[in-house]
Structure formats: structure tokens, C-alpha cells
Amino acid sequence: MALIDFDANYEGFVREWAKKNAEKLREGDDPSVYSGEIYEQWLSLPIEEAGGLSPKEYFCRLTPPQAVDMLKGYRAAGVTVPMPLVDRLAEDDCEGLLKGLLNDEDEQTFAIAASLLEERQSGAHMGKLIEKLLDSRSGDGVKGLAIEFLSSHADDVKEELLSRAGKSLEGDMLIADVLVHCKGDDRIYQLLVRLFLSEKDNPLYSSYLGMYEDERALPLLMKRINHPEVGYVEFLELRNAIERLGGDPIPDRDFGFDPDYRLIKGIK
């Protein structure tokens, strides 16, 4: 099947809808209130390029292999993947093929497949997400997606991630982004301490030690907050972590010299 730019068609439909409903919009309604209604109208609108079929009819007629091939076609052509195609791929009969797409080299194709499997509460994508998370070739978008989904299943992937810890600082940082959500494990606490002591990102790991709610971190945090080189942003994270762990309230300090403080406060 020929590729149709459904996004462009939809955008044109939205513009026409806005013209026809200008008075309604002038009354102050937020246009986003009507987004669901507009989309549903468009789904049922016959489109000439689709042979007179509506988007809903057009994509409903696709077999699972056709839907996957079309997804790959859109990605190869650099055309935005239509949402009705994603909806078709979300149906039960496509689940097996979605698992195959986890091996696709195209990161957006992978992201679509992983997202749909996550919605289905399938565990089929967990192993591949771990691989993508720790692969230095993965883009930031895929790594962010992996952190988001793995964090939702942190207890399930804990042992696998811990088995991969200690190989590189960068890998440990990514692992910590997920495992900070697994409370009460001394191995994770020690990982967070190592990262904090590495001084790679003190504000972040101060925050993580506070989140982990292990009071053993208090002496480390107190020692650091009294260091003369601590800047405003790090101070805030350290203070929040200390107070979260039950430490004594930390009084304000003068950070008028700190460029981050001056930027945040709008001081020139």
C-alpha cells in the first residue's frame, strides 16, 4: 500500500474545524478540550487518498504483518507514523509481531513496540530494555524510555541490573536511575553511596540518597554540606535529603556569589 501522510490530513482537518468553530473558541474554551472530539470525527471521515475509506476503516483492514510493514515503511520514508496505525498495532493479534520489533535497529520503531507491550503489561520487553539502557550506542530518548519502564518494574529487574553493576561508572549511573525505586537493599544503598562519593553529580546522588530513606547516609550528607565548595543547587539537594532522613534542619546560607543562585533568583 502507498504511504499516506495522515498527520498532514489531520492537521488540515483541525484547521478547518477551528474555522468552523471560531465563535466557540472565541468564548474562551481551551482548544485542547475538544481534541478527543476532533480526533474521533476525523477517524470517521472518508479520505480521498485512502480510496474513500476513513482512517479507522483503512487501518482496520490491515493484517498484523501489513501493519508492521507499514510502520517500517513510514519510518524508512521519514513520514510521521499515524496514530491510527499505532492503535492497530496495539490490538491483540499484533502482540507476537511487536516482540519481533524489539530487535529493530530503528529506535522509534523499538520505542513504539516497547510502549505498546508496556501498555499490555507484557514482560516481553524487559530484557531488551535492559540491553538498550546499558548500550552506549543507544540514544538518550531510548535510554529515557528504558529508565521509565524499568523503574515501573524495578523489583522484577533488580537482580539482573545488580549483576551488571560495577562495570562502568556510566552504567552504574543508569542502573541507579532505576534501582533507587527498590528500597531496603544494602547492595543498592552501597551503589548510591559509591556514586555520591564519585562526585560525578552530587546534587543528583544527594537526592537519590534522600529518596532511598536509609539513615546511614546522614553522616555522608552532613560532611558534604559543610564543604566550602558546595554550591547553591547542591546545597538545596543536600538539605532536602538530610531533612528527609530525619536530620536537623539546615539554616539558609549566603550564596550571593554563586552564579546558579543569581540565575535562579534573577539577580544580575
Side-chain angles (χ1 to χ4, degrees):
M1 294 183 181
L3 294 179
I4 301 168
D5 192 343
F6 283 93
D7 260 36
N9 186 280
Y10 177 67
E11 289 171 6
F13 179 78
V14 171
R15 286 193 294 270
E16 288 301 313
W17 185 94
K19 289 178 184 177
K20 293 176 182 177
N21 294 272
E23 185 174 344
K24 183 188 296 186
L25 296 176
R26 275 196 297 269
E27 292 173 357
D29 285 345
D30 184 344
S32 64
V33 171
Y34 302 103
S35 58
E37 173 187 333
I38 295 169
Y39 183 68
E40 287 301 320
Q41 288 180 22
W42 174 75
L43 279 178
S44 300
L45 181 73
I47 294 178
E48 183 179 347
E49 301 96 304
L53 296 174
S54 69
K56 183 181 293 186
E57 293 169 329
Y58 182 84
F59 288 103
C60 279
R61 294 188 178 196
L62 297 178
T63 65
Q66 286 174 330
V68 167
D69 287 345
M70 187 171 287
L71 170 63
K72 292 181 177 180
Y74 274 104
R75 291 297 303 141
V79 180
T80 303
V81 178
M83 185 53 63
L85 175 56
V86 176
D87 292 339
R88 174 67 187 93
L89 290 164
E91 295 179 13
D92 291 348
D93 59 350
C94 292
E95 182 173 358
L97 292 177
L98 289 177
K99 295 174 183 177
L101 289 176
L102 294 173
N103 296 313
D104 199 282
E105 293 183 1
D106 178 65
E107 290 195 338
Q108 187 172 342
T109 299
F110 168 82
I112 289 171
S115 297
L116 292 175
L117 288 167
E118 179 71 12
E119 288 177 11
R120 297 184 64 82
Q121 299 182 332
S122 166
H125 54 314
M126 291 294 108
K128 186 60 70 170
L129 284 171
I130 292 173
E131 289 181 24
K132 292 287 187 182
L133 177 69
L134 300 177
D135 189 337
S136 60
R137 298 167 296 178
S138 295
D140 290 342
V142 165
K143 286 183 183 292
L145 187 76
I147 290 169
E148 177 187 349
F149 291 165
L150 290 171
S151 295
S152 298
H153 305 276
D155 289 327
D156 297 327
V157 299
K158 178 176 72 171
E159 295 302 329
E160 178 63 25
L161 286 176
L162 283 171
S163 74
R164 300 187 183 218
K167 297 179 180 178
S168 72
L169 179 61
E170 291 74 15
D172 284 354
M173 293 169 70
L174 294 165
I175 289 170
D177 289 338
V178 175
L179 294 188
V180 69
H181 301 284
C182 291
K183 304 290 176 63
D185 190 310
D186 186 63
R187 296 169 296 175
I188 298 171
Y189 170 72
Q190 297 299 337
L191 171 64
L192 297 177
V193 168
R194 288 200 304 274
L195 290 170
F196 177 76
L197 293 176
S198 76
E199 299 189 4
K200 185 72 172 179
D201 189 339
N202 279 350
L204 177 63
Y205 297 110
S206 300
S207 171
Y208 278 8
L209 284 171
M211 287 173 58
Y212 208 65
E213 299 178 348
D214 191 316
E215 294 179 4
R216 289 179 295 170
L218 270 173
L220 284 173
L221 297 168
M222 289 299 301
K223 180 179 178 181
R224 178 63 189 174
I225 204 169
N226 290 316
H227 196 286
E229 293 183 3
V230 168
Y232 180 63
V233 173
E234 184 181 355
F235 172 80
L236 291 179
E237 294 295 349
L238 284 163
R239 181 168 68 178
N240 289 338
I242 289 167
E243 293 180 358
R244 184 168 183 172
L245 294 177
D248 293 333
I250 305 296
D252 289 331
R253 294 182 192 169
D254 179 15
F255 283 98
F257 63 90
D258 187 289
D260 290 330
Y261 175 84
R262 299 177 71 85
L263 179 63
I264 292 169
K265 299 296 184 179
I267 301 172
K268 295 182 179 179

Tab-separated table of all heavy atoms in Angstrom, residues 45-54 57:
chain	number	residue	atom	x	y	z
A	45	LEU	N	-13.900	10.173	8.956
A	45	LEU	CA	-14.038	10.988	7.749
A	45	LEU	C	-13.417	10.281	6.552
A	45	LEU	O	-12.235	9.920	6.582
A	45	LEU	CB	-13.323	12.334	7.972
A	45	LEU	CG	-13.390	13.331	6.820
A	45	LEU	CD1	-14.795	13.928	6.731
A	45	LEU	CD2	-12.350	14.437	7.009
A	46	PRO	N	-14.174	10.056	5.461
A	46	PRO	CA	-13.586	9.446	4.255
A	46	PRO	C	-12.455	10.308	3.705
A	46	PRO	O	-12.557	11.534	3.660
A	46	PRO	CB	-14.760	9.390	3.278
A	46	PRO	CG	-15.976	9.417	4.141
A	46	PRO	CD	-15.619	10.296	5.297
A	47	ILE	N	-11.383	9.657	3.294
A	47	ILE	CA	-10.212	10.355	2.764
A	47	ILE	C	-9.959	9.876	1.344
A	47	ILE	O	-9.892	8.669	1.078
A	47	ILE	CB	-8.984	10.088	3.653
A	47	ILE	CG1	-9.189	10.718	5.041
A	47	ILE	CG2	-7.711	10.628	3.015
A	47	ILE	CD1	-8.061	10.463	6.001
A	48	GLU	N	-9.830	10.836	0.450
A	48	GLU	CA	-9.677	10.503	-0.971
A	48	GLU	C	-8.451	9.637	-1.216
A	48	GLU	O	-8.512	8.646	-1.964
A	48	GLU	CB	-9.571	11.804	-1.768
A	48	GLU	CG	-9.472	11.583	-3.278
A	48	GLU	CD	-9.395	12.889	-4.042
A	48	GLU	OE1	-9.651	13.953	-3.446
A	48	GLU	OE2	-9.072	12.829	-5.247
A	49	GLU	N	-7.312	10.007	-0.592
A	49	GLU	CA	-6.074	9.247	-0.823
A	49	GLU	C	-6.174	7.809	-0.347
A	49	GLU	O	-5.424	6.939	-0.787
A	49	GLU	CB	-4.896	9.930	-0.114
A	49	GLU	CG	-4.637	11.366	-0.560
A	49	GLU	CD	-5.293	12.354	0.379
A	49	GLU	OE1	-6.520	12.246	0.581
A	49	GLU	OE2	-4.571	13.221	0.916
A	50	ALA	N	-7.105	7.557	0.574
A	50	ALA	CA	-7.297	6.204	1.105
A	50	ALA	C	-8.390	5.463	0.363
A	50	ALA	O	-8.964	4.499	0.876
A	50	ALA	CB	-7.619	6.282	2.593
A	51	GLY	N	-8.688	5.926	-0.857
A	51	GLY	CA	-9.723	5.263	-1.650
A	51	GLY	C	-11.115	5.477	-1.115
A	51	GLY	O	-11.998	4.636	-1.325
A	52	GLY	N	-11.313	6.588	-0.438
A	52	GLY	CA	-12.635	6.886	0.105
A	52	GLY	C	-12.899	6.233	1.456
A	52	GLY	O	-13.992	6.385	2.003
A	53	LEU	N	-11.909	5.542	1.984
A	53	LEU	CA	-12.066	4.940	3.306
A	53	LEU	C	-11.728	5.968	4.385
A	53	LEU	O	-10.917	6.872	4.168
A	53	LEU	CB	-11.136	3.733	3.469
A	53	LEU	CG	-11.371	2.531	2.544
A	53	LEU	CD1	-10.260	1.504	2.758
A	53	LEU	CD2	-12.728	1.903	2.798
A	54	SER	N	-12.335	5.825	5.533
A	54	SER	CA	-11.951	6.648	6.679
A	54	SER	C	-10.661	6.077	7.256
A	54	SER	O	-10.315	4.905	7.006
A	54	SER	CB	-13.046	6.621	7.742
A	54	SER	OG	-13.121	5.331	8.339
A	57	GLU	N	-11.390	2.823	9.027
A	57	GLU	CA	-11.613	1.699	8.116
A	57	GLU	C	-10.308	1.259	7.460
A	57	GLU	O	-10.036	0.061	7.307
A	57	GLU	CB	-12.616	2.093	7.039
A	57	GLU	CG	-14.024	2.338	7.561
A	57	GLU	CD	-14.924	2.984	6.524
A	57	GLU	OE1	-14.411	3.756	5.673
A	57	GLU	OE2	-16.137	2.723	6.566
